[in-house]
Amino acid sequence: MKRRYLSLAAAGAALCLTAVTLTGCGAVGGLTGDNEVTLRVVAAEYGDNPQNSSATYWKNLADGFEKANPGVNVEVSVYSWSEVDAKVAEMVKAGKAPDIAQIGAYADYAEAGKLYTADELLSVKTEADFLAPLADAGKVKRVQYGLPFVASTRLLFYNEKLLTDAGVIAKDAKTGWQPKSWAELEAAAKKLKGAGVPTPFALPLGREEAQAETMMWMLAGGGGYTDNEEQYAIDSPENVRALEFLRDKMVGQGLTGPVEPGKLNRQAAFDAFTRGEVGMLNGHPTLLKQAAGKGVKFGMVTMPTADGTDHSAMGVADWVMAFRNGHQKESGKFLDHLYEAQNVTAFTSMYDLLPVTTTGYRAIQSGTGTGSAAPQLKTFLDALPNARLYPVGKKSWAGVSEDIKQNIGKTVQPGGDPAKVLEDIASSARAADPR
């Protein structure tokens, strides 16, 4: 989907700070017997409640794999997106890396020589089925270590009723709202505020996915995390102006609701949208099902840009990687199982995300993809080929992303200094990636 969407982001935490551990056959260690192996897998939570927790998917996947592969047990731990990357980092630092991790970044581990390559793990059929842009995004120095898991692009969601009641959309309008510029976005937010909407525009710059929301605004302003040479350009004039717009025009005019953006997480914003409290917000495909499930009538449009001209949209892909723990054969078999068509479909259908394989992409294009929102997913799919991803091929990206999560919210506070904050983040990024 990353971010790399293609960095999906992904959805928030159904289980907050608690991990769900799924252990196959009662195995708890690396070796469970003379001829048995336990694969330890860490995965991210994409659900927003216990009923649609990702733990269910991983349990079914592990059960099916164990039945087909006697002697190989699978132990899966599922963590929220707000903590999963840090959990894996802690495990690696402690010398207890999982065999397989499904998280947000891989390059730092690849650069450190801790990962198997795709060639060392996957069958030819599995490796060849990845969408080329995503496979390329998984490479470090032209060697693929990161395996795309799911992808998404981002669109601007809006509540049709709230915008109609506020006069943004005419009551007899036969077509949806199509804002092109930030000025139109600001004007709509002012009307929503005047109509008493609690949060005209939700701006989640909290730790869960601040790096995604920030990148969307940077791209829409003509900037981005990197320049055309793929060097860090976090403190570019375009990026500074984007955050100044948010500080002065959106936050400064009280258009982003009662929660300080730096303390608002993505899932909390999604939840408020499904309760009818938010007029507009940037969202990924998971919000389709969440909003429809609560009866919210919504529209989706491409993110408006600073001047109304077209700029690249953000795409996100989340990643799978296998650590060099001595279980190369078993990890490869499990990953081939993970990428079987029915298993890919099972996950993407559960959360209305985009597939990372050619077979899955064609299924949605042709209208044969499964899932309640399959037709609507085409809108996201159309943005995929030209989307900009996080610079996940840089080993420094994980640290830079964490820096953004911790500090970007300060830029839009009253009196915030976007230029200074971005300069500090950029200096650290360049020092960590001196190329």
Side-chain angles (χ1 to χ4, degrees):
M1 280 134 168
K2 69 152 96 305
R3 264 135 158 232
R4 275 169 359 289
Y5 206 76
L6 284 165
S7 196
L8 281 146
L15 305 173
C16 298
L17 300 180
T18 302
V20 175
T21 301
L22 313 167
T23 305
C25 303
V28 295
L31 293 174
T32 58
D34 291 340
N35 298 310
E36 290 193 353
V37 170
T38 290
L39 291 179
R40 292 182 300 118
V41 179
V42 172
E45 175 61 77
Y46 288 75
D48 64 336
N49 62 68
Q51 285 68 48
N52 71 351
S53 171
S54 300
T56 301
Y57 168 82
W58 287 102
K59 182 181 186 304
N60 292 337
L61 187 78
D63 287 348
F65 177 77
E66 289 177 347
K67 289 178 182 177
N69 295 272
V72 183
N73 304 307
V74 181
E75 176 186 291
V76 185
S77 297
V78 179
Y79 294 94
S80 72
W81 267 111
S82 62
E83 63 173 351
V84 67
D85 287 350
K87 284 289 185 182
V88 171
E90 290 172 7
M91 294 175 187
V92 173
K93 186 176 181 180
K96 298 179 180 179
D99 293 289
I100 294 170
Q102 183 266 300
I103 52 177
Y106 64 86
D108 49 342
Y109 300 125
E111 288 271 5
K114 296 183 180 295
L115 303 181
Y116 290 114
T117 67
D119 285 345
E120 292 174 316
L121 295 164
L122 304 176
S123 68
V124 173
K125 179 182 178 182
T126 299
E127 192 172 0
D129 197 31
F130 290 131
L131 290 169
L134 298 179
D136 288 343
K139 294 178 180 179
V140 174
K141 297 178 181 177
R142 300 183 180 181
V143 178
Q144 186 177 357
Y145 296 90
L147 313 179
F149 179 60
V150 286
S152 75
T153 50
R154 300 300 171 89
L155 296 173
L156 177 69
F157 283 69
Y158 61 88
N159 183 308
E160 289 188 1
K161 182 180 186 303
L162 294 181
L163 267 67
T164 300
D165 291 347
V168 177
I169 301 174
K171 291 186 178 180
D172 59 351
K174 296 182 180 179
T175 58
W177 186 47
Q178 295 289 335
K180 295 296 183 181
S181 69
W182 288 354
E184 292 177 78
L185 201 66
E186 177 191 352
K190 287 180 177 178
K191 288 185 177 181
L192 288 164
K193 181 182 179 182
V197 175
T199 302
F201 191 100
L203 184 65
L205 294 178
R207 280 188 51 80
E208 182 184 326
E209 218 185 16
Q211 80 286 357
E213 185 72 21
T214 301
M215 184 173 174
M216 282 182 274
W217 286 97
M218 287 179 171
L219 290 174
Y225 287 135
T226 57
D227 58 24
N228 291 334
E229 302 300 322
E230 293 303 316
Q231 301 304 307
Y232 281 122
I234 296 170
D235 55 349
S236 71
E238 293 84 358
N239 292 343
V240 172
R241 286 195 291 268
L243 290 168
E244 287 176 342
F245 170 81
L246 292 177
R247 179 195 64 189
D248 299 336
K249 300 298 186 180
M250 301 302 287
V251 179
Q253 297 188 90
L255 305 180
T256 55
V259 180
E260 182 181 330
K263 297 180 180 178
L264 180 64
N265 280 330
R266 171 78 59 202
Q267 189 57 50
F270 280 11
D271 291 343
F273 185 80
T274 66
R275 294 194 299 268
E277 300 170 3
V278 172
M280 303 174 284
L281 82 169
N282 292 313
H284 51 68
T286 297
L287 185 56
L288 291 171
K289 185 173 291 185
Q290 294 178 16
K294 295 296 180 66
V296 176
K297 190 175 181 181
F298 58 89
M300 302 178 297
V301 294
T302 302
M303 172 75 167
T305 64
D307 56 5
T309 61
D310 291 340
H311 293 300
S312 296
M314 189 188 81
V316 178
D318 296 319
W319 303 92
V320 174
M321 62 216 69
F323 287 85
R324 291 185 175 276
N325 289 349
H327 296 155
Q328 177 182 349
K329 179 180 177 181
E330 293 83 4
S331 293
K333 284 186 175 182
F334 182 78
L335 291 170
D336 279 335
H337 178 69
L338 172 67
Y339 287 106
E340 288 178 5
Q342 69 271 20
N343 293 328
V344 170
T345 300
F347 195 88
T348 57
S349 298
M350 184 181 296
Y351 300 109
D352 290 328
L353 294 170
L354 303 181
V356 298
T357 58
T358 300
T359 51
Y361 183 91
R362 289 173 177 168
I364 293 180
Q365 276 192 318
S366 66
T368 59
T370 60
S372 61
Q376 291 173 298
L377 285 178
K378 291 183 181 180
T379 307
F380 290 92
L381 200 68
D382 289 342
L384 192 57
N386 297 316
R388 288 275 298 277
L389 279 65
Y390 298 135
V392 291
K394 293 180 177 292
K395 67 177 181 180
S396 57
W397 171 244
V400 173
S401 177
E402 185 63 25
D403 199 358
I404 294 167
K405 290 179 181 180
Q406 291 182 4
N407 294 298
I408 205 68
K410 301 173 185 176
T411 65
V412 300
Q413 294 174 344
D417 189 345
K420 179 62 168 64
V421 174
L422 291 182
E423 181 183 0
D424 290 344
I425 295 173
S427 296
S428 297
R430 290 173 183 137
D433 191 69
R435 283 183 266 175

